[in-house]
Amino acid sequence: MAEPTLAIPLPTAETMVAIPVSISEPDAASPANRRVYRGGFSTSICGIFRDPSRRTDCCSIACCGVLSSDRNRYLLFGELPPPLWRRLLMYLIIPALFIASLNYFAVEVTIPANDGNNDQQDDNGDATTIKVAPLPLRLTFYAYLIFLGIRGRMEKRKTRNEIMTKLYREQAAARGEEVDPNQLAHYLHKHRLDVLRAHGSYSCCYAQDLPLDGNNEFDDELEEDCCSRFWNCLSETFWNACCGMWCQCCSACAIAQEEREIERLTGNVEPKMDYITFEPFAEYFPAIQHLNENQISSFKEHARTISKLSVKLLKNVAAVLAVLVLFALSDIDKNFTLANMIVLLLTLCQAFFLEYLIWWRWNKFDISFDSVIKFFACGFLLTTPMAMIFELIVSIVTGLISMIGMIFILVEDSDLLDKLQTDPKHAMKELAVGHPVLFIFSLFLNAFVIAALCEEMIKYFGYWMVVTPDMLPQKRSNDTSNENEENTPNTKSVRSTGSGITVAMCSVALGFACCENLLYVFGYTPGQSLGVEIETLIVRSIFPVHPLCAAIQSIGVCKRDLEGQRGVGIGRILSPAILLHGSFDFALMVSAYLQQVEKIKEGNDDDSDIPKEDDAVMTADDIPTLVFSFGMVLVGCIYYVWQARAQTKRLIAMDRSVAVDESSTLV
């Protein structure tokens, strides 16, 4: 029986070429045997993050699923994504111009005072004025936003309908039947509501998404970790029991489901190309592998072998820095001068210097320059906004927990409740002094849950979502004798692979830390003096907690992926890093809280919300905290070195065992 083929148009330099991709004979996942969910999919829309080994599910969350959607359309239709300038124009520049126009053309409207309650009146009941933008301009802005939403949903529905069409044809071919166009149209019409639900901005789909055939025989059991168990518990209890629906945001679950299906249909289950540029690994990785095999130490040669994606990233960074330099020289903003630009460059140089030590100085042949660029960019561009969003969500939950404790206190203290209504600032000061347990508990949640848990998990998934050829099984660049890559031994040692994992995870953490440092230096306290900016940068530079925690995480990842310790899940990988990160932040927060309490008791606290330069300068009271923080970092370094040396011995033993097996096989 001939293998069925699927023609997938892929763009080349000259034209769109149809490349046949073989589909394997029916097995447990074949059309004849696998479970069939709504729309003919082989996996459920609720299956996101159910399989810990899948990397692409993370990409359906990052950038609102843009990266995954682009890859899906490329594999399915051969469509290249629109250029970056067009997306910036449509989704950033034009909305920003609308908002600026709304503020510029807004006119003041006076609201007269009346006897009734009006939220727009001031405390004295006098008439107030508000700014109102012209109605035609507001309607145009709303219409543009609606246009963007409809356009995006239409593209996503087109992709889903095409996948369902291919799945229907695949099922018909498995049954040996001809595809009737009328039956196909009826099938798509029957599932039109599922398509609408799957790609709503804030939509609900069926919670269980049960298979249509009810066949459970071929449903493979997936190995779970603590995150997937928690996800299953959440989905099977709250969403299913309380509302009976599966809730998603920005079509993340549907995009992940479609990506899983497209990979199966097109034979791209194993990663073979980059995101964004869709350059195949085979076009640039042989040159990288040649450098590593021949131990070429010229940085110029390493820079020549980077992929198109890395070139694009570096060009965009250079363009942004050039614009910032011109902005600083123009003296448009007094708060961002050439001196501030120098501080910004120093912030970048701090991260680049650590990257130089971690990669080029010690591990330049374990992972390529191309991979370092991609992992660093992922940490800077993707993980940081994701961390901010998740921290905001988690902070709302922890804030509610702290609020419950505050309610119990206010119920017992009616005087404090009255003060909270009349003078909230002084009431909060009294609450901070009189109830330290509540505040310290709130700081504990902030340090260990909001900061440590969210950031360490996001950094881990930032590493997990990036796939580079360095991390895949390799054969020698000049070996063309064996066409079957599955039977080709990996020429990269296990120890070298472990070092590459450590460098990759540290690169993500350095990108994340670099962006976070920029936010602390320039974003969170705008208008501060140059001296305070430099002091903030120095303090954050001497405590490299993020890359240290990432290195500690890499110990667990190597145990799971290289040593084969199946008991090591994401919980054991993240726990030491969360403990170190949370303890470091908790010590700083408690120290700041105790110092503020002392100022309140002494009457030296300032009611002003505007930060002063003196408040940011370190004093003698900060020395014990800095010493303790340095001790925490030192303990983390000792723990990492201890674990890394023990693991290195085990990896070397594995390499020797493999070498002995290969030599005995040759004999």
Side-chain angles (χ1 to χ4, degrees):
M1 176 179 176
E3 288 185 341
T5 59
L6 177 64
I8 303 169
L10 295 176
T12 62
E14 300 176 356
T15 182
M16 308 291 284
V17 180
I19 300 178
V21 180
S22 297
I23 299 177
S24 60
E25 290 293 334
D27 53 13
S30 66
N33 296 331
R34 61 176 169 80
R35 299 179 72 179
V36 180
Y37 293 84
R38 287 183 173 86
F41 288 87
S42 61
T43 61
S44 171
I45 198 172
C46 315
I48 187 172
F49 296 133
R50 296 292 178 92
D51 185 359
S53 63
R54 284 196 55 82
R55 292 176 176 262
T56 53
D57 284 352
C58 303
C59 297
S60 65
I61 303 294
C63 293
C64 299
V66 173
L67 298 178
S68 291
S69 296
D70 289 345
R71 183 172 181 266
N72 290 345
R73 284 194 291 271
Y74 179 80
L75 291 176
L76 202 59
F77 305 110
E79 294 181 0
L80 289 173
L84 179 61
W85 67 266
R86 185 184 302 174
R87 280 184 165 165
L88 291 176
L89 179 65
M90 292 181 60
Y91 298 102
L92 182 62
I93 297 178
I94 293 180
L97 291 176
F98 267 115
I99 294 174
S101 301
L102 290 173
N103 293 329
Y104 181 79
F105 292 106
V107 296
E108 293 186 351
V109 177
T110 302
I111 300 179
N114 53 47
D115 296 334
N117 294 328
N118 194 329
D119 294 337
Q120 301 295 337
Q121 296 179 15
D122 57 18
D123 297 336
N124 299 324
D126 298 333
T128 58
T129 59
I130 60 173
K131 285 189 174 183
V132 178
L135 181 60
L137 189 58
R138 282 184 289 161
L139 293 178
T140 305
F141 180 48
Y142 298 149
Y144 182 74
L145 295 180
I146 294 173
F147 163 75
L148 292 180
I150 294 176
R151 181 176 179 271
R153 295 187 67 177
M154 289 180 63
E155 290 181 352
K156 293 177 181 178
R157 291 173 186 173
K158 174 186 174 184
T159 302
R160 195 169 186 86
N161 279 321
E162 182 65 21
I163 297 173
M164 292 170 62
T165 300
K166 291 184 179 296
L167 290 172
Y168 183 86
R169 295 181 184 275
E170 184 188 45
Q171 288 285 335
R175 295 191 300 266
E177 301 175 357
E178 294 291 336
V179 177
D180 185 357
N182 295 328
Q183 292 181 354
L184 176 58
H186 175 73
Y187 179 81
L188 295 176
H189 180 75
K190 177 182 176 182
H191 291 281
R192 68 188 186 282
L193 185 58
D194 293 334
V195 177
L196 293 174
R197 288 174 173 175
H199 284 299
S201 299
Y202 300 93
S203 64
C204 299
C205 294
Y206 297 103
Q208 296 179 350
D209 194 26
L210 294 175
L212 298 182
D213 56 6
N215 182 12
N216 297 327
E217 180 181 356
F218 300 98
D219 187 27
D220 297 333
E221 292 291 336
L222 295 176
E223 185 177 353
E224 298 180 337
D225 58 13
C226 68
C227 282
S228 58
R229 291 192 186 100
F230 173 76
W231 186 263
N232 292 339
C233 179
L234 181 67
S235 61
E236 294 299 332
T237 55
F238 178 77
W239 299 124
N240 192 18
C242 295
C243 59
M245 290 288 184
W246 177 264
C247 300
Q248 63 171 341
C249 179
C250 298
S251 307
C253 301
I255 292 173
Q257 181 194 30
E258 292 165 2
E259 187 165 21
R260 293 191 295 269
E261 206 64 49
I262 291 174
E263 288 176 349
R264 186 188 65 82
L265 287 170
T266 60
N268 285 275
V269 178
E270 295 298 328
K272 300 176 182 178
M273 60 184 179
D274 289 329
Y275 279 85
I276 302 177
T277 59
F278 308 117
E279 182 182 13
F281 294 160
E283 291 188 2
Y284 65 89
F285 184 62
I288 295 175
Q289 198 172 14
H290 174 75
L291 294 177
N292 295 334
E293 291 175 358
N294 295 278
Q295 301 287 296
I296 299 176
S297 300
S298 171
F299 180 78
K300 184 178 180 180
E301 295 297 326
H302 282 262
R304 285 178 176 177
T305 59
I306 62 177
S307 62
K308 295 178 182 178
L309 176 58
S310 296
V311 171
K312 180 175 289 189
L313 290 171
L314 293 178
K315 286 183 178 179
N316 289 331
V317 170
V320 171
L321 291 178
V323 171
L324 290 177
V325 170
L326 294 177
F327 183 78
L329 293 175
S330 64
D331 204 23
I332 297 176
D333 188 354
K334 300 295 183 181
N335 294 323
F336 191 80
T337 61
L338 185 59
N340 301 109
M341 184 64 202
I342 295 176
V343 175
L344 187 147
L345 294 176
L346 290 175
T347 306
L348 297 177
C349 289
Q350 181 263 347
F352 296 159
F353 176 72
L354 291 178
E355 192 71 73
Y356 162 79
L357 294 178
I358 295 172
W359 169 62
W360 182 258
R361 182 72 175 178
W362 298 320
N363 303 286
K364 57 176 168 288
F365 297 119
D366 298 318
I367 187 171
S368 65
F369 182 44
D370 176 76
S371 296
V372 169
I373 294 174
K374 292 172 183 175
F375 281 107
F376 187 92
C378 177
F380 191 97
L381 300 174
L382 299 183
T383 61
T384 305
M386 288 174 62
M388 296 175 66
I389 294 173
F390 281 100
E391 285 180 350
L392 176 61
I393 296 173
V394 175
S395 64
I396 295 175
V397 178
T398 57
L400 293 176
I401 296 175
S402 302
M403 187 66 67
I404 294 174
M406 185 182 298
I407 290 174
F408 282 105
I409 295 175
L410 295 176
V411 169
E412 298 293 334
D413 193 343
S414 57
D415 294 337
L416 183 60
L417 179 61
D418 295 336
K419 292 181 181 178
L420 190 63
Q421 296 174 350
T422 57
D423 193 354
K425 285 188 177 181
H426 287 80
M428 290 301 298
K429 292 178 182 179
E430 184 177 342
L431 186 66
V433 175
H435 301 277
V437 176
L438 175 64
F439 274 79
I440 292 177
F441 175 72
S442 178
L443 294 177
F444 176 85
L445 294 178
N446 195 4
F448 283 91
V449 180
I450 299 177
L453 177 62
C454 291
E455 292 180 2
E456 295 306 320
M457 184 173 293
I458 291 297
K459 286 189 298 182
Y460 169 81
F461 283 116
Y463 155 76
W464 193 242
M465 75 172 68
V466 179
V467 181
T468 61
D470 299 58
M471 302 300 179
L472 301 178
Q474 304 167 17
K475 64 178 182 179
R476 294 195 179 277
S477 58
N478 58 355
D479 183 10
T480 59
S481 59
N482 194 347
E483 298 295 335
N484 189 359
E485 295 185 2
E486 294 181 358
N487 298 328
T488 303
N490 189 358
T491 60
K492 191 174 182 180
S493 67
V494 181
R495 180 185 179 184
S496 177
T497 304
S499 299
I501 291 174
T502 301
V503 175
M505 299 191 74
C506 289
S507 298
V508 174
L510 284 172
F512 178 87
C514 181
C515 187
E516 189 180 57
N517 289 344
L518 291 175
L519 291 175
Y520 273 98
V521 173
F522 297 102
Y524 292 148
T525 53
Q528 60 187 1
S529 66
L530 181 64
V532 175
E533 291 180 354
I534 296 176
E535 180 183 324
T536 304
L537 175 60
I538 293 175
V539 172
R540 295 189 62 83
S541 299
I542 62 178
F543 296 120
V545 177
H546 285 300
L548 176 59
C549 290
I552 293 175
Q553 286 188 33
S554 69
I555 299 293
V557 173
C558 291
K559 287 181 179 179
R560 181 194 63 191
D561 296 345
L562 301 182
E563 299 183 52
Q565 298 185 18
R566 300 184 63 181
V568 178
I570 189 173
R572 293 188 181 182
I573 293 173
L574 297 181
S575 296
I578 292 174
L579 181 62
L580 174 62
H581 191 168
S583 301
F584 180 85
D585 288 351
F586 184 63
L588 296 178
M589 293 177 183
V590 170
S591 174
Y593 164 73
L594 295 177
Q595 291 183 24
Q596 188 64 27
V597 168
E598 289 298 323
K599 290 183 180 180
I600 293 174
K601 291 180 179 180
E602 297 173 0
N604 296 329
D605 61 308
D606 190 359
D607 293 337
S608 176
D609 295 331
I610 303 176
K612 294 183 177 181
E613 182 176 353
D614 295 339
D615 296 335
V617 177
M618 289 187 296
T619 62
D621 297 335
D622 298 321
I623 295 179
T625 303
L626 294 178
V627 172
F628 180 81
S629 301
F630 181 79
M632 290 296 302
V633 174
L634 184 61
V635 169
C637 291
I638 294 174
Y639 173 80
Y640 168 72
V641 172
W642 170 48
Q643 290 289 327
R645 287 184 175 180
Q647 187 172 73
T648 300
K649 294 179 181 179
R650 297 194 299 270
L651 298 182
I652 292 175
M654 292 176 63
D655 286 327
R656 290 175 179 173
S657 176
V658 171
V660 171
D661 293 340
E662 290 180 355
S663 61
S664 61
T665 302
L666 293 176
V667 173

